[in-house]
C-alpha cells in the first residue's frame, strides 16, 4: 500500500504535524493504520447524469422554517455538515411524472462491495447492515454521499497532481461517525476538504418541542424520538487567484415517531466564490447547476438560486460571499425517491460544474496584487463562516463536536487590511459590484 | 507638512489602496487634507507614573452584570472600543485614603492647547467645549484617551522606524465620532491600530429597561436618557513570531437621569498574546500591570487578572487567547476621581509593559516553522474576536457601526491548518499548555 505523505511529509516537524490520531479507526483495508494513503484507483466511473425526468419545485421564497437547524444541532457533529435551515418543497411537474420502476433490487451483495471499493474509506455503517436494508433511503443516501466524496476527492487529486488527501475516520460517542478527507498545501489546492458524517441518536425533548412549534406532529414513546442525519460537505480553496473557491453540501434527515411514522427531508446546495469575475466561468457554473435542476422541474433553479444569494449574505459588509449557486432545505416532497433523485443529480453536477473551471485557471499567471486581493476575499470568507454560517456556529457551540471537521471550511490563509478599497473600474471593483448586486447568469 | 506614505506608498495601486476617504474631516492643522501624516514630534513627554495612593478593589468574581454591553450597543461605533461587560468595584483601602486636593484648576487655555498639540489629531469635542468644563470627567477622560493614543502611537512608530500611522477621523451621525490610527505592514509591526471614540446620544427605552433590570433606577424625562461613552482601544500585531500581540482598552460611560443625577462607570483591560512562551516577558508584562494596580489597592491585580483569564477563553478550543493581563468593567466606586486615577495609571502602564518586550524581540531570528506557528495562533485570535468578543459582535450587528474600526483588531494575516497539533515537549506545546492552564506570573 503506497503511503504518500505529499510534499509536506519529508521534514520530521511536518511528520509530527501529520502524526497519528488516537481516535482514528482505520477500518479500510487500503488505509490500515496510516493516516495518508493513495486514492483508490484514479480512473473511477464517470459521474452518471440526472434521471432525465422529475416532477417538482415549489417556490423557495416563502420557505423559511428552522427545522433542519434544530435537528442539525441534535446531530452534534452532523452540524459540521448541515449549515442551512430554510425549507423547500418541490412543486409537481404539470404532467408525465413517472415514479421509479417498482420491484427491481438495485444492489446485491457483490455490487455493494464493488461500490464500496471505490470509496475513500468503508462506509460508517457496517456493510452487513447496509446489505440488510438495500432499499432503505438511509442506505441509498449513505452510499450516495460516499460516492460523491470519492468522486470529488479523485477529481481534485487528479487536478492537483502532487498532494494527496489525508483520510480521517472519526466516531461519535452518541452514535455514528464520519470520514474527513483533506488535501492541504498542494500544487493547485491551498486547502480542499470533503467530509461525510452519518450520525444517529434520540432527539432531545427541547428539539422535539421546537419541531412541534413548527407544525410537526411528533408522537414520542417514553420521550424518545430516534433520528438519523447524514451528509457530505466540502469547501475547496485553490491557490491561483483566478481559480474560484467552491462549497457544496447535501444531506438527509429522518425522525421516527412512536407509531412508526417517519418524518424525512433533504437539504443542500453548491456555491462559487471567485476572487475575480470571469463571465464564462460564472455562466458555466450556473448553467451546469440549472441543467441539473431542470431535469426535475423548471422552477427549481430560479428559486434555489435566489435562496443561495440570500443565505450567503455578509450583512455587516453588504456583500455576498460569492456569486451564489443553489441552496435549499426541508425538501420533503413529492416523494422520498423523487427528492433523492434530485439531490443525487445535484451531487453529480458538482465535479462537472467546478473542475473544468479549476483546470482552466490553475496555471494562469498572476501578480502579487492578485494574490493580495484573493487573501482579502478569503478574510471575508472567514467572516461569513464564523459570524453567519449556522452549521459552523451550531457545531462549534455543540459539546463534543469535531472542531477540526467544522473549521475545515476555513481557508489555509487569509488577510485583513484596514480601509482597503479597490480603485474604481478595477477588476476588484468589478467583482465587488456583483457581490453587492447579484446577477442572473443564465438568461 | 511631511507626507510619508510609508513603504507601501510608491506603487499607484497602493496609493489607491490608501486613497482619500470621503468621510475624513482632517481638522488637525498637521493633517490638513492628507490621510497619512508625520507623528506630532517623536520626542513627546514620558508617560507619568500613577498617583501613588488609591483606595479600592472589590472582587472581580461575583461582578458579572451586562450594563456596559447595553450602553456599548447604544453607543454604536463606541462598541468598536468597548468589548467587555462584567462589573467591578474597587474595595476602599482600610486606612489613609486621601481625596484629590480640592480647588486647584488643573488645566487653563494654554495648557490645553499645549496638550492637544501632542495628540494624533485634535480631540473629537471642540476645544471651546473642553475649556468650558475643565473639571468635568468627560473632559478629563477625553484628554486622557487622546494622550494615551498619542503615547502608544509615538512609541510604536519609533520602534518600527519605517511605516507611519494613518490617521482617520470619522463622525457619527447620531453624535460624536472618533480617530482611528493604523500602522500596517511596517518593519516591525504587521498591523497596529489605536482607536479612540467619543459618542453621545439618548439611550433607547429598551436599553434603559435593560439597565433597570440590573438594578439601575433610571428616571427618564419624556423617555429620554442622555448618555456619553468614550474610550481608547488598540490591538498590536508584530511581524516577528517572538514579539507578542497586545490588546488594551480603557473606557468611560455616563448616563444622565431626568433629575440631573448621573450614573457613571469605567471599564477596560490589557492582555498579551505571545506566539511562544517567554518567561521573562510574561513576568515583566504582568509585574508592570500589578505595580500599576497595587498603587490603588492590593486586591485589584489578582481579581482583574483572573477576570481576564476567564474572559479571553476560546471555548470550542479549550484555550485562552493569550497569557492574559487585567480586565474589568462597571467600575463605579469609591469615587469618580479615584476610579479615573486607577484607569489613568493602567493606561500609562501600557507602553512600559509592552514596548520593551517588542524592542527586545523585533529583530530576533526565526524560522519558517516559527512564522507558521504565529500565523496559526493568529487564526485563533480571529476565532476569538469574531465568535466571542462582545464588543466586536455587538459593533458588527449595530447599524451604522464603523466596520473598519471594529475589525482593525484582526491580524493582517492568519492561517488555519486541518488537524495541526505540535509535537510533545515542543515550544509550541509549551505555550499551548499555559493557554489551557493559566499561570500566576508574579508570585
Amino acid at each position: 500500500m503506497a503511503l504518500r505523505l505529499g510534499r509536506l511529509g519529508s521534514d520530521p516537524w511536518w511528520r509530527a504535524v501529520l502524526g497519528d490520531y488516537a481516535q482514528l479507526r482505520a477500518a479500510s483495508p487500503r488505509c490500515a493504520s496510516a493516516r495518508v494513503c493513495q486514492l483508490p484507483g484514479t480512473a473511477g466511473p464517470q459521474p452518471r447524469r440526472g434521471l432525465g425526468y422529475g416532477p417538482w419545485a415549489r417556490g423557495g421564497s416563502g420557505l423559511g422554517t428552522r427545522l433542519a437547524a434544530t435537528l442539525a444541532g441534535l446531530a452534534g457533529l452532523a452540524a459540521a455538515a448541515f449549515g442551512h435551515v430554510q425549507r423547500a418543497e418541490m412543486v409537481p411537474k404539470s404532467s408525465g411524472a413517472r415514479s421509479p420502476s417498482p420491484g427491481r433490487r438495485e444492489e446485491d451483495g457483490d455490487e455493494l462491495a464493488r461500490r464500496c471499493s471505490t470509496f475513500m474509506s468503508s462506509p460508517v455503517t457496517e456493510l452487513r447492515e447496509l446489505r440488510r436494508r438495500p432499499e432503505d433511503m438511509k442506505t441509498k443516501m449513505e452510499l450516495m454521499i460516499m460516492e460523491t466524496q470519492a468522486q470529488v476527492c479523485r477529481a481534485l487529486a487528479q487536478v492537483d497532481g502532487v498532494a494527496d488527501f489525508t483520510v480521517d475516520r472519526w466516531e461519535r460517542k452518541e452514535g455514528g461517525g464520519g470520514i474527513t478527507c483533506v488535501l492541504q498545501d498542494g500544487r493547485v489546492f491551498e486547502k480542499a476538504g470533503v467530509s461525510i458524517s452519518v450520525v444517529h441518536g434520540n432527539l432531545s425533548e427541547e428539539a422535539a418541542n421546537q419541531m412541534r412549534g413548527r407544525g410537526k406532529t411528533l408522537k414520542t414513546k417514553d420521550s424518545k424520538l430516534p433520528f438519523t442525519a447524514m451528509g457530505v460537505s466540502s469547501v475547496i480553496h485553490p491557490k491561483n487567484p483566478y481559480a474560484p473557491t467552491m462549497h457544496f453540501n447535501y444531506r438527509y434527515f429522518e425522525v421516527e415517531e412512536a407509531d412508526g411514522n417517519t418524518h424525512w427531508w433533504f437539504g443542500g446546495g453548491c456555491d462559487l466564490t471567485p476572487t475575480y469575475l470571469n463571465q464564462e466561468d460564472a455562466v458555466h457554473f450556473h448553467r451546469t447547476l440549472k441543467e441539473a435542476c431542470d431535469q426535475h422541474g423548471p422552477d427549481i433553479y430560479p428559486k434555489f438560486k435566489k435562496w443561495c444569494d440570500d443565505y450567503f449574505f455578509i450583512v455587516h459588509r453588504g456583500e455576498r460571499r460569492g456569486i451564489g449557486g443553489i441552496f435549499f432545505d426541508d425538501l420533503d416532497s413529492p416523494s422520498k425517491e423523487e427528492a433523492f433523485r434530485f439531490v443525487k443529480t445535484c451531487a453529480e453536477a458538482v465535479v462537472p460544474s467546478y473542475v473544468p473551471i479549476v483546470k482552466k485557471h490553475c496555471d494562469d499567471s498572476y501578480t502579487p496584487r492578485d494574490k493580495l486581493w484573493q487573501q482579502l476575499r478569503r478574510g471575508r470568507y472567514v467572516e461569513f463562516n464564523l459570524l453567519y454560517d449556522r452549521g459552523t456556529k451550531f457545531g462549534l457551540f455543540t459539546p463534543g463536536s469535531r472542531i477540526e471537521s467544522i473549521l475545515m471550511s476555513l481557508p489555509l490563509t487569509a488577510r485583513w487590511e484596514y480601509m482597503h478599497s479597490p480603485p474604481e473600474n478595477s477588476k476588484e471593483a468589478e467583482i465587488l459590484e456583483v457581490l453587492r448586486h447579484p446577477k442572473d447568469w443564465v438568461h
Side-chain angles (χ1 to χ4, degrees), chain A:
Chain A
M1 174 197 52
L3 235 194
R4 299 205 310 148
L5 293 181
R7 233 168 19 79
L8 292 183
S10 48
D11 157 19
W13 157 247
W14 294 115
R15 200 178 309 289
V17 165
L18 303 177
D20 292 341
Y21 298 93
Q23 94 272 46
L24 182 72
R25 183 178 55 72
S28 129
R30 281 183 319 295
C31 303
S33 64
R35 182 176 171 292
V36 175
C37 59
Q38 179 67 42
L39 269 181
T42 47
Q46 281 315 305
R48 276 175 297 119
R49 297 303 306 162
L51 303 177
Y53 67 86
W56 12 255
R58 198 156 82 223
S61 52
L63 295 173
T65 59
R66 302 191 61 81
L67 181 55
T70 312
L71 201 67
L74 289 180
L77 295 194
F82 316 140
H84 315 300
V85 295
Q86 277 179 302
R87 187 184 152 75
E89 289 98 34
M90 309 297 273
V91 172
K93 223 173 180 178
S94 51
S95 66
R98 282 182 292 114
S99 61
S101 46
R104 193 179 67 73
R105 279 176 58 85
E106 191 178 340
E107 311 305 329
D108 58 32
D110 300 345
E111 171 57 10
L112 180 61
R114 188 205 59 72
R115 283 180 78 180
C116 289
S117 70
T118 68
F119 298 160
M120 298 299 286
S121 183
S122 48
V124 173
T125 307
E126 300 284 347
L127 293 197
R128 202 178 39 246
E129 173 63 8
L130 296 176
R131 280 207 185 92
R132 193 184 62 77
R133 41 158 166 105
E135 289 307 313
D136 187 308
M137 187 49 74
K138 291 194 289 293
T139 300
K140 291 182 178 181
M141 186 66 177
E142 181 163 355
L143 294 177
M144 192 274 270
I145 62 177
M146 293 297 293
E147 218 143 47
T148 304
Q149 181 181 51
Q151 274 167 10
V152 174
C153 286
R154 194 175 299 129
L156 299 180
Q158 213 166 23
V159 173
D160 195 275
V162 168
D164 271 314
F165 278 88
T166 63
V167 181
D168 278 350
R169 287 181 77 92
W170 42 269
E171 291 180 9
R172 177 171 167 269
K173 221 170 16 124
E174 300 83 357
I179 299 153
T180 298
C181 301
V182 174
L183 181 155
Q184 211 163 232
D185 222 354
R187 183 184 74 84
V188 170
F189 299 105
E190 204 170 75
K191 200 181 198 188
V194 190
S195 194
I196 72 105
S197 55
V198 180
V199 292
H200 48 81
N202 283 306
L203 274 190
S204 69
E205 200 43 36
E206 185 230 335
N209 287 337
Q210 273 212 1
M211 288 189 200
R212 292 189 187 100
R214 288 182 10 243
K216 295 257 172 209
T217 48
L218 294 173
K219 298 173 283 304
T220 55
K221 210 171 91 201
D222 43 53
S223 74
K224 284 235 171 45
L225 263 174
F227 79 91
T228 302
M230 61 184 74
V232 57
S233 187
S234 172
V235 178
I236 300 156
H237 297 291
K239 287 191 166 180
N240 193 302
Y242 289 95
T245 283
M246 192 270 284
H247 155 262
F248 76 89
N249 162 287
Y250 292 106
R251 56 190 181 274
Y252 173 66
F253 283 94
E254 265 189 20
V255 180
E256 208 193 302
E257 288 190 287
D259 59 10
N261 174 38
T262 303
H263 291 264
W264 60 270
W265 67 91
F266 295 86
C270 184
D271 64 287
L272 198 67
T273 302
T275 299
Y276 290 109
L277 188 60
N278 180 301
Q279 182 84 9
E280 197 185 70
D281 294 350
V283 169
H284 168 79
F285 182 75
H286 276 271
R287 188 165 284 159
T288 308
L289 297 184
K290 181 176 183 299
E291 281 164 11
C293 293
D294 286 352
Q295 295 172 40
H296 299 269
D299 304 336
I300 297 173
Y301 169 77
K303 291 208 165 60
F304 291 172
K305 192 263 184 193
K306 172 145 188 341
W307 198 341
C308 191
D309 289 336
D310 293 344
Y311 180 77
F312 291 104
F313 186 51
I314 306 174
V315 178
H316 66 278
R317 297 284 191 182
E319 304 163 10
R320 271 81 194 160
R321 182 173 78 170
I323 61 165
I326 57 169
F327 176 99
F328 60 94
D329 206 342
D330 283 327
L331 177 58
D332 62 359
S333 73
S335 74
K336 206 185 277 187
E337 286 301 325
E338 297 290 346
F340 171 67
R341 264 196 277 274
F342 166 67
V343 172
K344 191 162 181 288
T345 307
C346 291
E348 288 165 352
V350 168
V351 169
S353 68
Y354 179 64
V355 169
I357 296 176
V358 179
K359 279 183 177 171
K360 179 176 140 192
H361 293 294
C362 62
D363 295 315
D364 285 3
S365 64
Y366 59 84
T367 65
R369 165 177 165 167
D370 299 338
K371 193 65 183 170
L372 179 125
W373 178 248
Q374 177 200 53
Q375 292 300 299
L376 292 170
R377 294 311 307 171
R378 292 270 160 75
R380 297 296 212 267
Y381 208 88
V382 171
E383 287 177 34
F384 178 83
N385 285 19
L386 294 183
L387 286 166
Y388 297 97
D389 187 54
R390 284 172 230 159
T392 301
K393 291 207 296 183
F394 201 97
L396 290 182
F397 300 141
T398 303
S401 287
R402 190 170 190 265
I403 303 300
E404 292 293 337
S405 291
I406 293 165
L407 294 183
M408 172 190 82
S409 67
L410 297 181
L412 189 65
T413 54
R415 184 181 182 97
W416 286 269
E417 281 196 13
Y418 174 71
M419 294 296 276
H420 183 282
S421 71
E424 273 177 40
N425 307 318
S426 63
K427 53 185 180 180
E428 290 82 7
E430 182 190 29
I431 181 74
L432 270 183
E433 175 55 25
V434 166
L435 302 180
R436 288 174 181 147
H437 308 98
K439 272 182 69 174
D440 176 349
W441 298 102
V442 291
H443 296 103

